Amino acid sequence: MTAARFRVGVIGMGRIAVGFDEPAGPAIRTHLKGILADPRFELACVADIDQGRARAELERFGVKADIAAPEALAVADLDVLCIASPDDTHLDLAQRAASGRSRVVLVEKPLGGTQAQQKVLVERFAARGAELSIDHTRRWIPKVANWIAEAKSGAFGPPVSGVVHYSRGLRHNGIHAFDLIGAFFGTAVSNVKTIAPAIDDYASSDPTHSLVVTVNAAERHIPVVMLGVDGRIQSEFSVDLRFEQARVHIFDQDGIRADLYRPADSGFSGFAPELRPVEAFHDDPRRLFGILWNNIADHLDGKASLASAGVDGLVGYELMDCVVRQVSP
């Protein structure tokens, strides 16, 4: 058995850190179970403002680790720090961690703050040889990085359109869509039009908007329709991006899924090719958090680059800020 080589700390012991998982079974839905699934990691310490909850979750998983205050753990001597605390604490704790010693700091979305603050934060990590990575989990879908590279190289042809369905806040949950749109289409926005009333299904300060966003890509004006769904009625996430020679569909349906389509003969004379699926991923049993933490361990071993890291992890925030500035009040 491989001996643990990398010490990990986790700030926040809520649902995404541990609460969505059970100790037994193949599913890996949380950071804690992803960490425990890779023998290269040692869970050294956890933090939560409710230390009783932290202690109870460690006991539930049969794991021994120190319990500290969040501010202390942010600057502790670790290989990896995972920040999975409430949204409004992410930026402050990441800024504290930039002065710490962790080689990789993984922050749950949304990062928060202004573009200037986010860029300075990435630069501070880079200056000491560390990396900031943001958990836009779909970036860890196998081959998504390759699809993004193909799109950027022009192998998919020019972009044509995008359609998004999402719920629970433009910033809180819409950021997953912005991250993918920005990665595939870029961040240049020429126009934003509101097409339906906003929905307060997450927080009054972060409504779910329905918009048509015009993205400028490949010297074209690309319509991206973002349709807000009331998260109190149903959970929904889907990003459907079309190019002249490809289609990328990343969506939630009994787990995270991703399909790549390529052109095929329609079978009818005089008709253009149709797009048909050629690659598919379905996170069943749930394993994306295992893939994520494997990637972090591989990165520390010098075998892989981190997904959604550094300035690349900020692309969705750049796009989101461009959109938010133009949303009708």
Side-chain angles (χ1 to χ4, degrees):
M1 184 175 178
T2 305
R5 298 194 302 282
F6 308 126
R7 301 177 73 250
V8 183
V10 178
I11 299 178
M13 292 293 281
R15 292 182 298 178
I16 200 65
V18 61
F20 286 135
D21 262 325
E22 296 296 332
I28 302 176
R29 300 182 179 91
T30 62
H31 292 297
L32 183 69
K33 200 165 180 181
I35 294 163
L36 298 177
D38 193 313
R40 291 172 288 182
F41 289 123
E42 171 197 352
L43 183 66
C45 192
V46 301
D48 196 284
I49 57 172
D50 182 348
Q51 292 199 358
R53 176 169 65 181
R55 190 172 296 106
E57 291 291 13
L58 291 174
E59 290 175 357
R60 185 165 70 93
F61 274 78
V63 181
K64 291 184 179 180
D66 293 334
I67 299 176
E71 295 78 11
L73 188 51
V75 295
D77 186 9
L78 300 165
D79 293 293
V80 187
L81 174 68
C82 174
I83 299 174
S85 49
D87 289 5
D88 59 0
T89 66
H90 293 171
L91 182 66
D92 175 67
L93 288 168
Q95 289 171 331
R96 292 174 186 269
S99 300
R101 288 174 280 182
S102 296
R103 297 161 60 189
V104 173
V105 173
L106 176 70
V107 185
E108 265 304 313
K109 60 79 193 168
L111 177 59
T114 65
Q115 287 186 50
Q117 288 174 311
Q118 292 166 355
K119 289 178 180 178
V120 166
L121 185 59
V122 167
E123 290 167 358
R124 288 178 62 194
F125 278 99
R128 65 173 182 82
E131 288 211 62
L132 176 71
S133 184
I134 304 171
D135 183 19
H136 299 130
T137 316
R138 293 162 184 84
R139 287 288 198 110
W140 275 271
I141 296 171
K143 296 192 177 180
V144 159
N146 294 339
W147 298 352
I148 292 170
E150 286 194 73
K152 289 181 175 179
S153 74
F156 287 173
V160 173
S161 65
V163 178
V164 171
H165 288 83
Y166 78 105
S167 59
R168 290 178 57 77
L170 188 70
R171 292 182 179 276
H172 177 74
N173 222 29
I175 184 57
H176 284 305
F178 286 123
D179 178 65
L180 294 168
I181 297 164
F184 280 98
F185 283 0
T187 60
V189 175
S190 61
N191 188 56
V192 177
K193 181 179 179 181
T194 298
I195 56 175
I199 304 167
D200 287 343
D201 62 333
Y202 176 67
S204 59
S205 60
D206 183 19
T208 296
H209 291 275
S210 292
L211 311 166
V212 177
V213 178
T214 303
V215 178
N216 298 338
E219 300 182 350
R220 295 185 177 190
H221 300 292
I222 312 303
V224 178
V225 181
M226 299 189 67
L227 299 172
V229 177
D230 192 330
R232 295 164 297 187
I233 298 172
Q234 61 182 250
S235 296
E236 179 63 41
F237 184 84
S238 172
V239 174
D240 193 348
L241 306 177
R242 290 179 181 264
F243 302 79
E244 286 190 356
Q245 301 295 319
R247 174 188 175 198
V248 175
H249 189 200
I250 298 175
F251 60 106
D252 291 358
Q253 187 180 87
D254 190 26
I256 293 175
R257 298 175 183 248
D259 295 332
L260 175 66
Y261 293 66
R262 300 276 195 180
D265 189 340
S266 67
F268 296 96
S269 177
F271 283 78
E274 63 183 20
L275 296 176
R276 297 177 185 171
V278 295
E279 295 181 46
F281 170 81
H282 183 194
D283 193 31
D284 181 29
R286 307 296 198 271
R287 59 194 185 278
L288 255 184
F289 275 85
I291 294 170
L292 183 160
W293 281 96
N294 287 162
N295 174 242
I296 293 175
D298 286 344
H299 172 74
L300 292 171
D301 272 334
K303 299 177 181 177
S305 299
L306 282 173
S308 190
V311 293
D312 189 50
L314 301 182
V315 65
Y317 298 92
E318 181 179 346
L319 176 59
M320 181 174 66
D321 287 350
C322 290
V323 170
V324 169
R325 283 197 297 268
Q326 299 184 52
V327 171
S328 302

